[in-house]
Amino acid sequence: MNQNNNLQQTDDSLPLWSAEDVDLSSFNALRSPDDKQGKPVNDMRQLFHKQVIIDDETVLDVETIKVPGFIGIADEQKITDPNGSSVSGHEDIVQYLDKYGLLICTFQYNKDRYGKAIDLRKPPEDHELSDLVEIFIKNEGHHSGAIVPALWNGGRTKAFGSLNEPDTYHDGLYGHDGFIAVAQRLVFPEFVTPQQARGYTDSMICWMALMNPFVEFSENDFNGNDPTHVCDGPTLKEFLQNCALASLGSKEAIDFLNNSENRAYCAEFIYICLNTPVYPFNKQGLTLLLDGDKAKATEILKIRDKQNSRKKNILSKTSENLQFKEFNIQMPVVPEDLPPLDVLMAKNGQPPEPNSIPFPPFTLSQVLRRAFRTLLKRQEDVNNTKIAKAQAQMLGYLEPLILRQLGIITPPRETESPNEGLISRIPLEFFSVSPAPNDPKVKAVREFIAFVQEQLQRKFDSYEEFDLSFDQVMAKADELIGKDGVTYFIPPRIYVDLGQHEGDNNLPKGWGFRLETMGALIYRGFIRGTGSSSLPSHGGADPVTNTPSHERDHQPSSKQPPSSMGGNRMH
């Protein structure tokens, strides 16, 4: 998200497997719990391609995500590859973590729904709208989390863990071997030293670890009706203050985090954590956050030290992340002289705007704009009448979603279930709720859609002219929301969008770092390659029983620390 182009470069020595290295027979044989009857993949280079049927004669083949290659990963430390060789499920990903500190990962449905075309020749049926939203608006991204360093076998073996919201997700690991995720690293400006860059990613890990036990998963629908509370400097400080105080047992802070407006879904949790470098997880950063209270800052750092000494503490007791509870995920010690990121930026002649945050949220117009740019591209033929018509048709099909995102129609509340497996699936019931026919907001939305449809089918002298015109038109979507509407959105796809760097000037402008796509994570057992030489001689015992999370019977989990008050949270 940083506009500074003078950035650190990737290390070509990191393990990155090609499409040809993936054994398609193994890859296609294993279905994930999210399987949507996708077709077998015949070429891994086509994994992130989608087919769009425009009319009886026209089918578009669109690459929706570009990845430089594949990164092997597995929950188990020792696995067998397609050649029958014993390999490490951790070795590849550990090298990335050693280099970059953490990876932001968006889990994708591309394999689960592979080969299913989007047919725009007729309006979708009610039961098809949910899939259309996941494919078009979300670009198949359904969950975001962070892959972080871990230490297994009592701290003797480098491994990995994950931090997610809800904290039970994937048992603190990668999850089912059939999952696919696209990984992003953080890239800092050149004036940020490697030691400082690692300090900021370590600080983010500490904040994730502190927040995770207390931040509640959204009870409201997280596909539009859940507000993004943190959106600027003051709201970020308020939220982090309450997280810090919750770790010290404050009932008021816990009540704040239990409030429906302050709950966070998966992508929102990651978004908040990416904004924490303005308050480094060291004594000076915590003291700044806590308005000069050094004593409280010291107490929080003692909690960190207990976690790193593998001693029970309020976080390990309250967390339901198995890797954190077993002390495999640690809280790295952040250098005391690491300054807030905004201070470092200002010292190097790039002062951020007052009250801004490094990683700003998306608006409705930016979400819609990005969806069109990804799937119905006009870059190569700006006046292609068929694509222009398809864009106009698609926008019309999305009316129920837009009304929902703006809070104009509200579906019946879903029955909560502790065994819900797809944490970002849109309930079909939402589409069956009709808006009031005379609602002036509904009329305004329909007039807006008709206006945009007309503009999409104009003639343009260049793609640049179309791009500018479309940006200006789509910005009017934000005006429809008004002061009382849900203004900001954090769909899981944004981390991939921001890592692609394809010249999209409509994305939010942040500062301090940007994201860069490293590759697609896939099960290491699908990859043909040489056996690992880095396995411990005994093979390395797994620290916890690794039953995939979809096979466990998760029960409602108390998110309150010992002797505090509050309700239960459902998964």
Side-chain angles (χ1 to χ4, degrees), residues 191-347:
F191 57 75
V192 178
T193 68
Q195 293 76 20
Q196 289 173 324
R198 187 55 179 257
Y200 289 124
T201 57
D202 282 349
S203 181
M204 291 179 188
I205 293 170
C206 288
W207 273 114
M208 290 181 196
L210 183 138
M211 290 169 55
N212 214 186
F214 300 107
V215 173
E216 298 285 344
F217 191 74
S218 299
E219 64 178 5
N220 211 339
D221 177 62
F222 31 82
N223 293 285
N225 215 32
D226 179 78
T228 300
H229 176 75
V230 174
C231 60
D232 55 22
T235 52
L236 176 67
K237 181 177 182 180
E238 176 190 34
F239 191 89
L240 295 182
Q241 273 186 338
N242 279 282
C243 290
L245 294 174
S247 73
L248 298 177
S250 167
K251 180 183 181 300
E252 291 77 12
I254 292 169
D255 288 344
F256 173 90
L257 296 173
N258 281 334
N259 187 301
S260 61
E261 293 184 356
N262 300 319
R263 295 183 175 220
Y265 49 94
C266 60
E268 188 180 6
F269 171 76
I270 294 297
Y271 153 79
I272 295 170
C273 294
L274 287 174
N275 280 301
T276 57
V278 295
Y279 297 105
F281 206 89
N282 54 21
K283 189 170 184 179
Q284 65 158 325
L286 291 170
T287 301
L288 175 66
L289 175 68
L290 297 169
D291 298 322
D293 195 327
K294 293 182 180 179
K296 284 188 172 67
T298 299
E299 289 303 307
I300 292 171
L301 293 177
K302 289 179 180 178
I303 298 172
R304 175 205 65 189
D305 293 342
K306 284 186 177 181
Q307 179 69 17
N308 294 342
S309 299
R310 299 179 176 265
K311 296 178 181 178
K312 289 184 179 180
N313 57 83
I314 190 172
L315 301 182
S316 68
K317 292 177 182 178
T318 311
S319 174
E320 294 192 56
N321 181 313
L322 294 183
Q323 294 300 310
F324 190 82
K325 290 183 77 67
E326 293 290 326
F327 308 109
N328 297 318
I329 296 177
Q330 300 272 280
M331 298 177 69
V333 176
V334 176
E336 190 52 48
D337 60 354
L338 184 71
L341 185 55
D342 52 331
V343 173
L344 185 62
M345 295 291 292
K347 285 183 177 179

Side-chain angles (χ1 to χ4, degrees), residues 142-164:
H142 62 91
H143 170 70
S144 292
I147 301 292
V148 301
L151 292 171
W152 284 18
N153 304 317
R156 298 187 302 276
T157 305
K158 286 185 178 181
F160 76 91
S162 70
L163 291 164
N164 306 277

